[in-house]
Amino acid sequence: MTGAAPEGRPPVVRRGARTEDGSCRHLLVWEAGPGWRMVSSGVLGGGIGERGWVLNAQVRPGYDRLDPDRHLAELARAEGLRGPGVGLMTAAEVDDCTWGEDGGALALVTTGIGVPTWAAAPPDVPPVAVVPAGRVPAVPAPARYVPGTINILAVVPAPVTDAGLVNLLATATEAKVQALLDAGYACSGTPSDAVCVAVRTPDGRREADPFGGPRSRWGARLARAVHRAVVEGAHRDRERRARGSAAPHHRPAADCRCANVLPAGRAIG
């Protein structure tokens, strides 16, 4: 998509592909266009501000570049993205993204739970979740591969104040943790999880909503959207690990690229 989506229509998120480290690597791109304000923990474009695009790039397992922001900027330029934007990365399969929507709020999630952990784990405890009796193991045994990051892109098609925007980010994170527990994982996430929440830039036509907590209008909707996407993503990740990773291919094929990974014709407003 070029430019902002019409009101009430979902974002258009395309899938691109490139050859990197000897294999085809995919990425997801939302060209939001003008009129969006975002908060993100991404290594590129993190913080709060006007942003025109979001890129979520799959990288190789064991990624060890010390300049991920520069790497993401290079990928963004190669995709024709200009101006300020947000860059996220993951070693999980971005092809198998999941999404949820509720009353206009939408969440698109890529899920890899290879290194599950509790956020407040003691410093001497390795980053693998302790599984209470009766819970599904956080990592199937034997684990076929380890990559893990949960990246969340959340979109609210309404103006929200900066304070409300930060609150939406916290609400999305709370919903992620609830979803992981509901999916049977004994963890609060992985050490490398990232999130980006986008809202409309206040333009004077509509009053900016000052709230984003889980019982606010948009916070409640966003929480349900994130929860649905993460629950489905967690189940799919478990299934992928049971099957083992797919054989890599070296160059992008025709089906590596997709004009829109979200179902078309679904109103979100």
Side-chain angles (χ1 to χ4, degrees):
M1 178 184 70
T2 301
E7 293 292 339
R9 299 299 300 275
V12 174
V13 180
R14 62 179 168 86
R15 185 174 69 231
R18 85 279 184 194
T19 298
E20 185 175 282
D21 296 322
S23 295
C24 178
R25 309 287 179 193
H26 295 178
L27 46 81
L28 302 178
V29 178
W30 176 37
E31 295 184 65
W36 291 94
R37 192 161 179 80
M38 304 184 191
V39 59
S40 177
S41 61
V43 294
L44 177 67
I48 299 179
E50 302 290 315
R51 305 284 188 267
W53 48 265
V54 179
L55 181 148
N56 186 8
Q58 183 174 343
V59 296
R60 64 178 176 82
Y63 181 88
D64 57 0
R65 282 187 59 162
L66 300 179
D67 60 345
D69 54 339
R70 180 178 178 180
H71 186 192
L72 285 166
E74 293 168 353
L75 295 178
R77 286 194 295 271
E79 290 295 318
L81 304 174
R82 298 294 183 265
V86 171
L88 313 173
M89 61 174 48
T90 179
E93 294 285 345
V94 301
D95 291 31
D96 205 12
C97 58
T98 55
W99 66 283
E101 62 179 349
D102 191 291
L106 184 141
L108 180 70
V109 177
T110 55
T111 307
I113 315 176
V115 188
T117 187
W118 291 109
D124 57 341
V125 174
V128 175
V130 176
V131 184
R135 297 301 297 271
V136 176
V139 180
R144 303 294 183 88
Y145 66 99
V146 174
T149 292
I150 302 170
N151 283 346
I152 299 172
L153 167 61
V155 181
V156 168
V160 179
T161 66
D162 281 359
L165 182 54
V166 172
N167 209 347
L168 284 172
L169 184 144
T171 296
T173 302
E174 291 176 15
K176 177 199 72 174
V177 176
Q178 180 182 344
L180 290 171
L181 296 175
D182 288 346
Y185 283 83
C187 66
S188 57
T190 84
S192 53
D193 291 354
V195 61
C196 175
V197 180
V199 300
R200 286 292 190 180
T201 301
D203 57 8
R205 293 179 299 173
R206 290 184 291 175
E207 184 176 356
D209 196 325
F211 305 113
R215 295 284 67 82
S216 68
R217 177 189 182 193
W218 288 110
R221 295 174 180 182
L222 184 61
R224 289 189 290 266
V226 170
H227 183 271
R228 290 168 187 163
V230 174
V231 165
E232 183 180 356
H235 288 312
R236 288 191 186 183
D237 183 69
R238 182 181 289 122
E239 293 168 359
R240 285 197 304 270
R241 292 176 190 281
R243 293 193 307 266
S245 57
H249 55 285
H250 300 297
R251 291 181 296 275
D255 60 353
C256 290
R257 297 181 174 88
C258 176
N260 188 13
V261 300
L262 293 169
R266 298 290 298 274
I268 66 170

Coordinates of all heavy atoms in Angstrom, one line a residue, residues 26-91:
H26 N 12.5 -13.5 4.2 CA 11.3 -12.7 4.0 C 11.1 -11.5 5.0 O 11.8 -11.5 6.0 CB 10.1 -13.6 4.1 CG 10.0 -14.6 3.0 ND1 9.0 -15.6 2.9 CD2 10.9 -14.9 2.0 CE1 9.3 -16.4 1.8 NE2 10.4 -16.0 1.3
L27 N 10.3 -10.6 4.6 CA 10.0 -9.5 5.5 C 8.6 -9.0 5.2 O 8.0 -9.2 4.1 CB 11.0 -8.3 5.3 CG 11.4 -7.9 3.9 CD1 10.4 -7.0 3.3 CD2 12.8 -7.3 3.9
L28 N 8.0 -8.3 6.2 CA 6.7 -7.8 6.1 C 6.8 -6.3 6.1 O 7.6 -5.7 6.9 CB 5.8 -8.2 7.3 CG 5.6 -9.8 7.4 CD1 4.7 -10.1 8.7 CD2 5.0 -10.4 6.2
V29 N 6.0 -5.6 5.3 CA 6.1 -4.1 5.2 C 4.7 -3.5 5.2 O 3.8 -4.0 4.4 CB 6.8 -3.7 3.9 CG1 6.8 -2.2 3.8 CG2 8.2 -4.3 3.8
W30 N 4.5 -2.6 6.1 CA 3.2 -1.8 6.1 C 3.6 -0.3 5.7 O 4.3 0.3 6.5 CB 2.6 -1.8 7.5 CG 1.3 -0.9 7.5 CD1 0.4 -0.6 6.5 CD2 0.9 -0.1 8.6 NE1 -0.5 0.3 7.0 CE2 -0.2 0.6 8.2 CE3 1.4 0.1 9.9 CZ2 -0.9 1.5 9.1 CZ3 0.8 1.0 10.8 CH2 -0.4 1.7 10.4
E31 N 3.2 0.1 4.6 CA 3.5 1.5 4.2 C 2.3 2.3 4.6 O 1.3 2.5 3.9 CB 3.7 1.6 2.6 CG 4.9 0.8 2.2 CD 5.1 1.0 0.7 OE1 5.4 2.2 0.2 OE2 5.1 0.0 -0.1
A32 N 2.4 2.8 5.8 CA 1.2 3.5 6.4 C 1.0 4.8 5.8 O -0.2 5.2 5.6 CB 1.5 3.7 7.9
G33 N 2.0 5.5 5.4 CA 1.9 6.8 4.8 C 1.8 7.9 5.9 O 2.0 7.6 7.1
P34 N 1.4 9.1 5.5 CA 1.3 10.2 6.5 C 0.1 10.1 7.4 O -0.8 9.3 7.1 CB 1.2 11.4 5.6 CG 0.6 10.9 4.3 CD 1.1 9.6 4.1
G35 N 0.2 10.8 8.5 CA -1.0 10.8 9.4 C -1.0 9.8 10.5 O -2.1 9.5 11.1
W36 N 0.2 9.2 10.8 CA 0.2 8.1 11.8 C 1.3 8.5 12.8 O 2.4 9.0 12.4 CB 0.6 6.8 11.2 CG -0.5 6.2 10.4 CD1 -0.7 6.3 9.0 CD2 -1.6 5.4 10.8 NE1 -1.8 5.7 8.6 CE2 -2.4 5.1 9.7 CE3 -2.1 5.0 12.1 CZ2 -3.6 4.4 9.8 CZ3 -3.2 4.2 12.2 CH2 -4.0 3.9 11.0
R37 N 1.0 8.3 14.1 CA 1.9 8.5 15.2 C 2.1 7.2 15.8 O 1.2 6.4 16.1 CB 1.3 9.5 16.1 CG 2.3 10.1 17.2 CD 1.8 11.4 17.8 NE 2.8 11.9 18.8 CZ 3.9 12.5 18.5 NH1 4.2 12.8 17.2 NH2 4.7 13.0 19.5
M38 N 3.4 6.8 16.1 CA 3.7 5.5 16.6 C 4.6 5.5 17.8 O 5.4 6.4 18.0 CB 4.4 4.6 15.5 CG 3.6 4.5 14.2 SD 4.4 3.4 13.0 CE 3.4 3.8 11.5
V39 N 4.4 4.5 18.7 CA 5.3 4.2 19.8 C 5.9 2.8 19.5 O 5.1 1.9 19.2 CB 4.6 4.3 21.1 CG1 3.5 3.4 21.3 CG2 5.7 4.1 22.3
S40 N 7.2 2.7 19.7 CA 7.8 1.4 19.4 C 9.0 1.1 20.2 O 9.7 2.1 20.6 CB 8.1 1.3 17.9 OG 8.8 0.0 17.6
S41 N 9.3 -0.1 20.5 CA 10.5 -0.5 21.1 C 11.5 -1.0 20.1 O 12.6 -1.6 20.4 CB 10.3 -1.7 22.1 OG 9.7 -2.8 21.5
G42 N 11.2 -0.9 18.8 CA 12.1 -1.3 17.7 C 13.5 -0.7 17.8 O 13.6 0.5 18.2
V43 N 14.5 -1.4 17.3 CA 15.8 -0.8 17.3 C 16.0 0.3 16.2 O 16.9 1.1 16.3 CB 16.9 -1.9 17.0 CG1 16.9 -2.9 18.1 CG2 16.6 -2.7 15.7
L44 N 15.1 0.3 15.2 CA 15.1 1.4 14.3 C 13.8 2.2 14.4 O 12.7 1.6 14.4 CB 15.2 0.9 12.8 CG 15.1 1.9 11.7 CD1 16.3 2.8 11.8 CD2 15.0 1.2 10.3
G45 N 13.8 3.5 14.6 CA 12.6 4.3 14.8 C 11.9 4.1 16.1 O 10.7 4.4 16.1
G46 N 12.6 3.6 17.1 CA 11.9 3.4 18.4 C 11.6 4.7 19.0 O 12.0 5.8 18.6
G47 N 10.8 4.6 20.1 CA 10.3 5.8 20.8 C 9.0 6.3 20.3 O 8.2 5.4 19.8
I48 N 8.6 7.6 20.4 CA 7.4 8.1 20.0 C 7.6 9.2 18.9 O 8.5 10.0 19.0 CB 6.6 8.7 21.1 CG1 6.3 7.7 22.2 CG2 5.3 9.4 20.7 CD1 5.6 8.3 23.4
G49 N 6.8 9.1 17.8 CA 6.9 10.2 16.8 C 6.1 9.8 15.6 O 5.5 8.7 15.5
E50 N 6.1 10.7 14.6 CA 5.4 10.5 13.3 C 6.3 9.4 12.6 O 7.5 9.6 12.4 CB 5.4 11.8 12.6 CG 4.6 12.9 13.2 CD 3.1 12.6 13.3 OE1 2.5 12.2 12.3 OE2 2.5 12.8 14.4
R51 N 5.6 8.4 12.1 CA 6.3 7.4 11.4 C 5.4 7.0 10.2 O 4.2 7.0 10.3 CB 6.5 6.1 12.2 CG 7.3 6.4 13.5 CD 8.7 6.6 13.3 NE 9.5 6.6 14.5 CZ 9.8 7.7 15.2 NH1 9.4 8.9 14.7 NH2 10.5 7.7 16.3
G52 N 6.0 6.7 9.0 CA 5.3 6.4 7.8 C 5.3 5.0 7.4 O 4.6 4.6 6.4
W53 N 6.0 4.1 8.0 CA 6.1 2.7 7.6 C 6.6 1.8 8.8 O 7.2 2.3 9.7 CB 6.9 2.5 6.4 CG 8.3 3.1 6.4 CD1 8.6 4.4 6.0 CD2 9.5 2.6 7.0 NE1 10.0 4.6 6.2 CE2 10.5 3.6 6.9 CE3 9.8 1.4 7.7 CZ2 11.8 3.4 7.3 CZ3 11.1 1.2 8.2 CH2 12.1 2.2 8.0
V54 N 6.3 0.5 8.7 CA 6.8 -0.4 9.6 C 7.3 -1.6 8.8 O 6.6 -2.1 7.9 CB 5.7 -0.9 10.6 CG1 6.2 -2.0 11.6 CG2 5.1 0.3 11.4
L55 N 8.5 -2.1 9.2 CA 9.1 -3.2 8.5 C 9.5 -4.3 9.6 O 10.1 -3.9 10.6 CB 10.4 -2.8 7.8 CG 11.2 -3.8 7.0 CD1 11.8 -3.2 5.8 CD2 12.3 -4.4 7.9
N56 N 9.1 -5.5 9.3 CA 9.4 -6.6 10.2 C 10.2 -7.7 9.4 O 9.6 -8.4 8.6 CB 8.1 -7.2 10.8 CG 8.4 -8.3 11.9 OD1 9.5 -8.5 12.3 ND2 7.4 -9.0 12.3
A57 N 11.5 -7.7 9.6 CA 12.4 -8.5 8.8 C 12.8 -9.8 9.5 O 13.2 -9.8 10.6 CB 13.6 -7.7 8.4
Q58 N 12.7 -10.9 8.7 CA 13.3 -12.2 9.2 C 14.8 -12.3 8.9 O 15.2 -12.0 7.8 CB 12.5 -13.3 8.5 CG 12.9 -14.7 9.1 CD 12.1 -15.8 8.5 OE1 11.0 -15.6 7.9 NE2 12.6 -17.0 8.6
V59 N 15.5 -12.6 9.9 CA 16.9 -12.8 9.8 C 17.3 -14.2 10.2 O 16.5 -15.0 10.7 CB 17.7 -11.8 10.7 CG1 17.4 -10.4 10.2 CG2 17.3 -12.0 12.2
R60 N 18.6 -14.6 10.0 CA 19.0 -16.0 10.2 C 19.1 -16.3 11.7 O 19.3 -15.4 12.5 CB 20.4 -16.2 9.6 CG 21.5 -15.4 10.2 CD 22.8 -15.7 9.6 NE 23.9 -14.9 10.1 CZ 24.5 -15.1 11.3 NH1 24.2 -16.1 12.0 NH2 25.5 -14.3 11.7
P61 N 18.9 -17.5 12.1 CA 19.1 -17.9 13.5 C 20.5 -17.6 13.9 O 21.5 -17.8 13.1 CB 18.8 -19.4 13.4 CG 17.9 -19.7 12.2 CD 18.4 -18.6 11.2
G62 N 20.7 -17.2 15.1 CA 22.0 -16.8 15.6 C 22.5 -15.5 15.0 O 23.7 -15.2 15.1
Y63 N 21.6 -14.6 14.6 CA 21.9 -13.3 14.1 C 22.8 -12.6 15.1 O 22.5 -12.5 16.3 CB 20.7 -12.5 13.9 CG 20.9 -11.1 13.4 CD1 20.9 -10.9 12.0 CD2 21.0 -10.0 14.2 CE1 21.1 -9.6 11.5 CE2 21.1 -8.7 13.8 CZ 21.2 -8.5 12.4 OH 21.3 -7.2 11.9
D64 N 24.0 -12.1 14.6 CA 25.0 -11.5 15.6 C 25.5 -10.1 15.1 O 26.5 -9.7 15.6 CB 26.1 -12.4 15.8 CG 26.8 -12.9 14.6 OD1 26.4 -12.5 13.5 OD2 27.8 -13.7 14.7
R65 N 24.9 -9.5 14.1 CA 25.3 -8.2 13.7 C 25.1 -7.2 14.9 O 24.2 -7.3 15.6 CB 24.5 -7.7 12.5 CG 25.0 -8.3 11.2 CD 24.4 -7.6 10.0 NE 24.6 -6.2 9.9 CZ 24.4 -5.5 8.7 NH1 24.0 -6.1 7.7 NH2 24.6 -4.2 8.7
L66 N 26.1 -6.3 15.1 CA 26.1 -5.4 16.1 C 25.4 -4.0 15.7 O 25.4 -3.1 16.5 CB 27.5 -5.1 16.7 CG 28.2 -6.4 17.2 CD1 29.6 -6.0 17.7 CD2 27.3 -7.0 18.4
D67 N 25.0 -4.0 14.5 CA 24.4 -2.7 14.0 C 23.0 -3.0 13.3 O 22.8 -2.7 12.2 CB 25.3 -2.1 12.9 CG 25.6 -3.0 11.7 OD1 25.3 -4.2 11.8 OD2 26.0 -2.5 10.7
P68 N 22.1 -3.6 14.1 CA 20.8 -4.0 13.5 C 20.0 -2.8 13.0 O 19.2 -2.9 12.0 CB 20.0 -4.7 14.7 CG 20.7 -4.2 15.9 CD 22.1 -4.0 15.5
D69 N 20.2 -1.6 13.6 CA 19.5 -0.4 13.1 C 20.0 -0.1 11.7 O 19.1 0.2 10.8 CB 19.7 0.8 14.1 CG 21.2 1.0 14.3 OD1 22.0 0.1 14.2 OD2 21.5 2.2 14.8
R70 N 21.3 -0.2 11.5 CA 21.8 0.1 10.1 C 21.3 -1.0 9.1 O 20.9 -0.7 8.0 CB 23.3 0.1 10.2 CG 24.0 0.4 8.8 CD 25.5 0.5 8.9 NE 26.1 0.7 7.6 CZ 27.4 0.8 7.5 NH1 28.2 0.7 8.5 NH2 27.9 1.0 6.3
H71 N 21.3 -2.2 9.6 CA 20.8 -3.3 8.7 C 19.4 -3.1 8.3 O 19.0 -3.2 7.1 CB 21.0 -4.6 9.5 CG 20.7 -5.8 8.6 ND1 20.5 -7.1 9.2 CD2 20.4 -6.0 7.3 CE1 20.2 -7.9 8.2 NE2 20.2 -7.3 7.1
L72 N 18.5 -2.7 9.3 CA 17.1 -2.5 9.0 C 16.9 -1.3 8.0 O 16.1 -1.3 7.2 CB 16.3 -2.3 10.3 CG 16.1 -3.6 11.1 CD1 15.6 -3.2 12.5 CD2 15.0 -4.4 10.4
A73 N 17.8 -0.3 8.2 CA 17.7 0.9 7.4 C 18.0 0.5 5.9 O 17.4 1.0 5.0 CB 18.6 2.0 7.9
E74 N 19.0 -0.3 5.8 CA 19.4 -0.8 4.4 C 18.2 -1.6 3.8 O 17.9 -1.4 2.6 CB 20.6 -1.7 4.5 CG 21.9 -1.0 4.9 CD 23.0 -1.9 5.3 OE1 22.8 -3.2 5.4 OE2 24.2 -1.4 5.5
L75 N 17.6 -2.4 4.6 CA 16.5 -3.2 4.0 C 15.3 -2.3 3.7 O 14.6 -2.5 2.7 CB 16.0 -4.2 5.1 CG 17.0 -5.3 5.4 CD1 16.4 -6.2 6.5 CD2 17.4 -6.2 4.2
A76 N 15.1 -1.3 4.5 CA 14.0 -0.3 4.2 C 14.3 0.4 2.9 O 13.4 0.6 2.1 CB 13.9 0.7 5.4
R77 N 15.5 0.9 2.7 CA 15.8 1.6 1.4 C 15.6 0.6 0.2 O 15.1 1.0 -0.8 CB 17.2 2.1 1.5 CG 17.4 3.3 2.4 CD 18.8 4.0 2.1 NE 19.9 3.1 2.5 CZ 20.4 3.1 3.7 NH1 19.9 3.9 4.7 NH2 21.4 2.3 4.0
A78 N 16.0 -0.6 0.4 CA 15.9 -1.6 -0.7 C 14.4 -1.9 -1.0 O 14.1 -2.2 -2.2 CB 16.6 -2.9 -0.3
E79 N 13.5 -1.6 0.0 CA 12.1 -1.8 -0.3 C 11.4 -0.5 -0.7 O 10.2 -0.5 -0.9 CB 11.4 -2.3 1.0 CG 11.8 -3.7 1.4 CD 11.2 -4.7 0.4 OE1 10.1 -4.6 -0.1 OE2 12.0 -5.7 0.1
G80 N 12.2 0.5 -0.9 CA 11.7 1.8 -1.4 C 11.0 2.6 -0.3 O 10.3 3.5 -0.6
L81 N 11.3 2.3 0.9 CA 10.7 3.1 2.0 C 11.6 4.3 2.3 O 12.8 4.3 2.4 CB 10.6 2.2 3.3 CG 9.9 0.9 3.1 CD1 10.0 0.0 4.4 CD2 8.4 1.2 2.8
R82 N 10.9 5.5 2.4 CA 11.6 6.7 2.7 C 11.0 7.4 3.9 O 9.8 7.2 4.3 CB 11.4 7.6 1.4 CG 12.0 7.0 0.2 CD 13.6 6.9 0.3 NE 14.2 6.4 -1.0 CZ 14.5 5.1 -1.2 NH1 14.2 4.2 -0.2 NH2 15.0 4.8 -2.3
G83 N 11.8 8.3 4.5 CA 11.3 9.0 5.6 C 11.4 8.2 6.9 O 11.9 7.1 6.9
P84 N 10.9 8.7 8.0 CA 11.0 8.0 9.3 C 10.0 6.8 9.3 O 8.9 6.9 8.8 CB 10.6 9.0 10.3 CG 9.8 10.0 9.6 CD 10.3 10.1 8.2
G85 N 10.5 5.7 9.9 CA 9.7 4.5 10.0 C 10.2 3.7 11.2 O 11.1 4.0 11.9
V86 N 9.6 2.5 11.3 CA 9.9 1.6 12.4 C 10.5 0.3 11.8 O 9.9 -0.3 10.9 CB 8.7 1.3 13.3 CG1 9.0 0.2 14.3 CG2 8.3 2.6 14.1
G87 N 11.6 -0.2 12.4 CA 12.1 -1.5 11.9 C 12.2 -2.5 13.1 O 12.8 -2.2 14.1
L88 N 11.7 -3.7 12.8 CA 11.7 -4.8 13.8 C 12.4 -6.0 13.1 O 12.4 -6.0 11.8 CB 10.3 -5.2 14.2 CG 9.3 -4.1 14.6 CD1 8.0 -4.7 14.9 CD2 9.8 -3.4 15.9
M89 N 13.0 -6.9 13.8 CA 13.5 -8.1 13.2 C 13.3 -9.3 14.1 O 13.0 -9.2 15.3 CB 15.0 -7.9 12.9 CG 15.9 -7.7 14.1 SD 17.7 -7.7 13.6 CE 17.7 -6.6 12.1
T90 N 13.3 -10.5 13.5 CA 13.0 -11.7 14.2 C 13.7 -12.9 13.4 O 13.9 -12.8 12.2 CB 11.5 -12.0 14.3 OG1 11.3 -13.2 14.9 CG2 10.9 -12.0 12.9
A91 N 14.0 -14.0 14.1 CA 14.4 -15.2 13.4 C 13.3 -16.1 13.2 O 13.4 -17.2 12.7 CB 15.6 -15.9 14.2

